[in-house]
């Protein structure tokens, strides 16, 4: 059992090392030890001092991760109820649409990054199970001669009922995952599901591993979006698909005005009343305004090496689903 783990770790270290070397080479620095190591350290120190944003606040890149962690640690227990209240349930439709766009085939290996409390993973399991059951019914109808015992057996094995599909939920936040796992237990999701603590910028998976990568309402919170996109590209198999559901730019001026009013005047109040946390919900609306437009984000996805990048705006552009392929 230990060997594959060690191999994965070794591969992972190798990738981190070659990425550091590439960074040095791009800057014309020597890549031999020990100069390269010093240069890499200087580079990373310089990177650490770089500023970024946390909502409308300017913070160092080093600080941002911790602040985002605190936000989701604080809201985890009220996260699901807050989403229903803020959107009057509309977020559920957006997530359903993501699944309809994905249309996973039997045997699909899905990685749901920033998967939080499991909304995308549970929808995926429902989808593949219902697809598989439909297929089984068709097959059983064709094999009328099967006994009832044989038919019942077909339905008994939970793993089989997913047709070999599997979803890996990866999130950086322990509290969000904890709520997700509790939900899975309560709602009876067991087979075909795994939970992993990990950073979208440094995914703990080998190259070319997944058929589909999803990230819903997650990428806006990541410090280096370009790095997260490169990681998405790395872990997808050739032919694999990237799907991102994220807040975007509203294209109707009247709706935009109303949406701004609602966002800044109502959402933090709901955050305070329901979750006892104004600041996290102020961060939510500010981070939405900071996120690139549909077209800008499309370009970022292309820059990460993806092909056939398309997007669909939903609810007047309040959110968009971006789709792309690794060729
Ligand atoms: C910390 O980080 C996070 C925490 C989280 O919990 C979640 C996330 C990630 C986010 C999600 C998974 C999705 C969460 C959903 C949202 C943030 C909400 C998205 C918003 C909508 C779907 C509604 C958009 C609203 C409009 C287009 C404008 C229409 C607005 C109005 C009619 C109300 C206008 C408001 C005022 C004039 C201010 C005064 C009003 C009041 C005091 C009354 C309050 C009214 C309500 C509570 C009703 C709310 C109305 C709606 C939801 C309208 C729905 C209608 C349409 C979509 C057209 C995360 O990162
Ligand atoms: C708004 S929630 C989205 C949860 C879920 N995907 C959904 O649609 O309900 C954002 C999630 O992103 C996670 N997150 C933030 N930064 C991350 C990172 N660098 N790597 C992985 N997950 C991250 C947070 O912990 C949080 O669970």
């Amino acid at each position: 059992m230990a060997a594959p783990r060690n191999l994965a770790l070794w591969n992972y270290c190798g990738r981190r090392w070659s990425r550091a070397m590439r960074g040095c080479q791009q800057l014309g620095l020597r890549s031999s030890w020990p100069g390269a190591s010093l240069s890499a350290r200087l580079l990373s120190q310089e990177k650490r001092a770089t500023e970024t944003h946390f909502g409308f606040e300017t913070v160092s890149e080093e600080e941002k991760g911790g602040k985002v962690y605190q936000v989701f640690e604080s809201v985890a227990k009220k996260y699901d109820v807050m989403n229903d209240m803020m959107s009057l349930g509309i977020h559920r439709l957006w997530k359903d649409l993501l699944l309809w766009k994905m249309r996973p085939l039997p045997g699909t290996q899905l990685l749901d990054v920033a998967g939080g409390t499991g909304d995308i993973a549970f929808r995926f399991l429902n989808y593949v199970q219902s697809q598989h059951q439909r297929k089984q019914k068709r097959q059983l109808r064709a094999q009328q001669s099967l006994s009832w015992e044989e038919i019942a057996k077909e339905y008994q094995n939970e793993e089989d009922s997913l047709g070999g599909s599997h979803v890996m939920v990866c999130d950086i936040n322990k509290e969000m995952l904890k709520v997700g796992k509790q939900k899975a237990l309560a709602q009876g999701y067991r087979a075909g599901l795994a939970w992993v603590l990990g950073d979208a910028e440094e995914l703990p998976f080998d190259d070319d591993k997944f058929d589909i990568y999803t990230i819903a309402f997650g990428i806006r919170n990541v410090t280096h979006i370009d790095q997260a996109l490169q990681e998405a590209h790395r872990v997808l198999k050739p032919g694999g698909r990237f799907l991102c559901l994220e807040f975007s730019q509203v294209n109707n001026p009247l709706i935009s005005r109303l949406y701004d009013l609602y966002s800044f005047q109502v959402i933090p109040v709901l955050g305070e009343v329901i979750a006892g946390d104004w600041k996290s919900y102020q961060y939510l609306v500010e981070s939405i305004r900071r996120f690139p437009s549909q077209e800008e984000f499309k370009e970022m996805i292309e820059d990460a090496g993806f092909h056939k990048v398309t997007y669909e705006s939903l609810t007047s552009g309040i959110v968009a689903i971006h789709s792309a392929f690794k060729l």
Side-chain angles (χ1 to χ4, degrees):
M1 280 308 283
R5 271 191 183 195
N6 291 340
L7 191 66
L9 186 67
W10 178 251
N11 284 341
Y12 177 74
C13 292
R15 276 199 311 277
R16 302 301 307 162
W17 171 250
S18 44
R19 202 173 290 155
M21 288 303 99
R22 267 203 309 278
C24 289
Q25 278 158 9
Q26 275 161 12
L27 282 146
L29 299 171
R30 279 178 56 223
S31 60
S32 57
W33 186 266
S37 133
L38 181 64
S39 315
R41 259 185 286 143
L42 287 173
L43 251 181
S44 75
Q45 272 165 17
E46 192 185 310
K47 198 173 150 197
R48 263 186 258 145
T50 315
E51 285 182 337
T52 183
H53 44 78
F54 172 76
F56 290 168
E57 206 183 318
T58 302
V59 297
S60 71
E61 287 189 339
E62 204 184 25
E63 264 179 291
K64 176 159 174 172
K67 281 181 162 283
V68 169
Y69 192 92
Q70 277 172 8
V71 162
F72 289 101
E73 186 178 41
S74 159
V75 306
K77 288 199 178 83
K78 295 285 179 182
Y79 177 80
D80 292 316
V81 66
M82 269 305 291
N83 291 348
D84 283 338
M85 296 300 285
M86 284 189 293
S87 71
L88 297 183
I90 294 169
H91 77 102
R92 292 173 182 248
L93 303 179
W94 295 332
K95 289 169 180 170
D96 288 343
L97 274 168
L98 182 74
L99 257 295
W100 292 338
K101 238 184 175 352
M102 183 192 302
R103 272 182 271 114
L105 295 170
T108 296
Q109 304 301 299
L110 169 67
L111 172 64
D112 182 36
V113 174
T117 61
D119 274 4
I120 302 301
F122 302 152
R123 277 172 174 74
F124 171 79
L125 293 173
N126 291 343
Y127 188 101
V128 293
Q129 193 162 30
S130 68
Q131 289 299 104
H132 191 69
Q133 278 171 358
R134 227 178 281 170
K135 193 177 149 203
Q136 264 186 331
K137 270 186 198 155
R138 275 199 306 271
Q139 280 173 349
L140 288 172
R141 245 181 264 136
Q143 305 170 331
Q144 295 279 340
S145 57
L146 285 184
S147 70
W148 282 111
E149 287 83 1
E150 282 169 316
I151 292 171
K153 220 169 127 193
E154 292 274 346
Y155 283 94
Q156 265 166 9
N157 190 331
E158 258 186 280
E159 296 277 353
D160 283 355
S161 77
L162 299 171
S165 299
H166 188 275
V167 53
M168 179 80 75
V169 181
C170 174
D171 198 287
I172 205 162
N173 196 296
K174 267 189 201 164
E175 294 306 312
M176 291 292 280
L177 288 180
K178 195 168 143 191
V179 174
K181 285 180 199 170
Q182 284 164 354
K183 254 168 77 180
L185 212 64
Q187 295 176 20
Y189 295 103
R190 267 186 314 142
L193 174 66
W195 305 85
V196 169
L197 197 66
D199 186 346
E201 293 187 32
E202 284 184 37
L203 292 172
F205 308 110
D206 287 342
D207 300 357
D208 307 334
K209 198 165 163 36
F210 297 95
D211 301 299
I212 304 183
Y213 170 110
T214 48
I215 185 160
F217 301 109
I219 206 151
R220 182 174 31 89
N221 302 293
V222 166
T223 307
H224 305 100
I225 295 175
D226 53 349
Q227 178 68 37
L229 291 171
Q230 279 167 32
E231 280 290 271
H233 191 270
R234 179 182 68 74
V235 299
L236 275 171
K237 293 177 188 167
R241 188 174 190 188
F242 167 88
L243 282 165
C244 174
L245 169 61
E246 189 49 271
F247 287 101
S248 209
Q249 205 162 27
V250 175
N251 37 43
N252 175 311
L254 177 65
I255 298 198
S256 172
R257 182 89 190 96
L258 284 170
Y259 178 49
D260 274 351
L261 264 174
Y262 177 64
S263 299
F264 288 97
Q265 306 303 323
V266 180
I267 289 181
V269 178
L270 288 178
E272 181 60 39
V273 173
I274 298 166
D277 190 341
W278 178 293
K279 278 198 162 170
S280 292
Y281 284 89
Q282 188 177 337
Y283 161 72
L284 164 64
V285 295
E286 291 179 359
S287 67
I288 292 171
R289 297 310 182 281
R290 279 262 179 210
F291 194 69
S293 70
Q294 287 85 336
E295 275 298 319
E296 287 164 341
F297 188 47
K298 179 179 181 231
E299 277 174 30
M300 291 173 79
I301 298 169
E302 281 165 350
D303 289 347
F306 283 101
H307 295 264
K308 294 187 170 196
V309 187
T310 55
Y311 62 81
E312 187 181 348
S313 297
L314 310 175
T315 324
S316 299
I318 290 179
V319 298
I321 296 177
H322 281 76
S323 162
F325 292 87
K326 171 173 171 177
L327 295 186

